[in-house]
């Protein structure tokens, strides 16, 4: 069975991607790899590499809700829209949250997708 929806908690150093349906949750954690470099702009390159790995984790997921702190998701959204336009098509929203538990993340995402799917269904009928 393929899992259609996911929620991703993203900040600048780690991400937690949780694919789910009504019965199961599959979790994937991604951590930034720290590499010291004196090269100018290495922090930006490291962040971009990390965001790239997060985007790779979205592969095969139709709809992803991205949540996190304001700065983290703003930077991630900017990266996705600029560098990963195919991934951007699968992100259905960005929501600012303050470190919810895994259960709270999934509950919030289920509620979001329920509302999102109902709205999409109503638009198709018009």
């Amino acid at each position: 069975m393929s899992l259609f929806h996911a929620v991703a908690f993203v900040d600048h150093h780690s991400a937690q991607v949780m694919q789910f349906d009504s019965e199961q949750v599959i979790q994937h954690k991604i951590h930034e790899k720290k590499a010291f470099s004196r090269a100018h702009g290495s922090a930006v390159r490291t962040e971009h590499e990390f965001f790239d790995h997060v985007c790779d984790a979205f592969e095969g997921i139709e709809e992803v809700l991205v949540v996190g702190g304001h700065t983290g998701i703003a930077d991630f959204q900017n990266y996705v829209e600029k560098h990963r336009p195919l991934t951007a098509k699968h992100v259905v929203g960005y929501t600012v949250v303050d470190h919810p538990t895994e259960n709270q993340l999934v509950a919030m995402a289920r509620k979001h997708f329920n509302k999102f799917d109902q709205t999409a269904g109503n638009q198709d009928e018009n």
Side-chain angles (χ1 to χ4, degrees):
M1 172 194 309
S2 113
L3 300 176
F4 191 72
H5 293 131
V7 60
F9 184 89
V10 178
D11 65 22
H12 288 100
H13 307 288
S14 65
Q16 182 174 11
V17 179
M18 298 169 42
Q19 288 181 260
F20 61 90
D21 63 13
S22 61
E23 298 174 9
Q24 64 180 332
V25 176
I26 298 173
Q27 186 176 161
H28 182 73
K29 293 185 179 185
I30 303 145
H31 297 283
E32 174 187 41
K33 291 181 175 74
K34 297 276 186 184
F36 179 76
S37 172
R38 293 179 195 259
H40 179 69
S42 65
V44 171
R45 281 195 305 276
T46 300
E47 181 177 89
H48 283 197
E49 288 172 5
F50 168 67
F51 286 161
D52 193 52
H53 291 300
V54 174
C55 290
D56 289 345
F58 295 174
E59 189 72 33
I61 304 170
E62 275 303 307
E63 298 175 344
V64 181
L65 173 64
V66 177
V67 302
H70 179 32
T71 305
I73 62 172
D75 290 346
F76 181 72
Q77 181 177 7
N78 183 43
Y79 173 81
V80 169
E81 290 173 356
K82 185 174 181 180
H83 300 284
R84 298 288 293 260
L86 295 177
T87 300
K89 293 177 183 180
H90 296 279
V91 177
V92 298
Y94 293 90
T95 303
V96 176
V97 297
D98 185 33
H99 298 290
T101 66
E102 292 172 7
N103 289 338
Q104 290 171 326
L105 272 175
V106 173
M108 174 181 40
R110 283 187 172 131
K111 183 177 179 179
H112 173 86
F113 284 115
N114 221 3
K115 187 181 200 180
F116 182 79
D117 291 345
Q118 287 174 355
T119 302
N122 290 340
Q123 289 175 349
D124 290 342
E125 293 173 5
N126 292 331

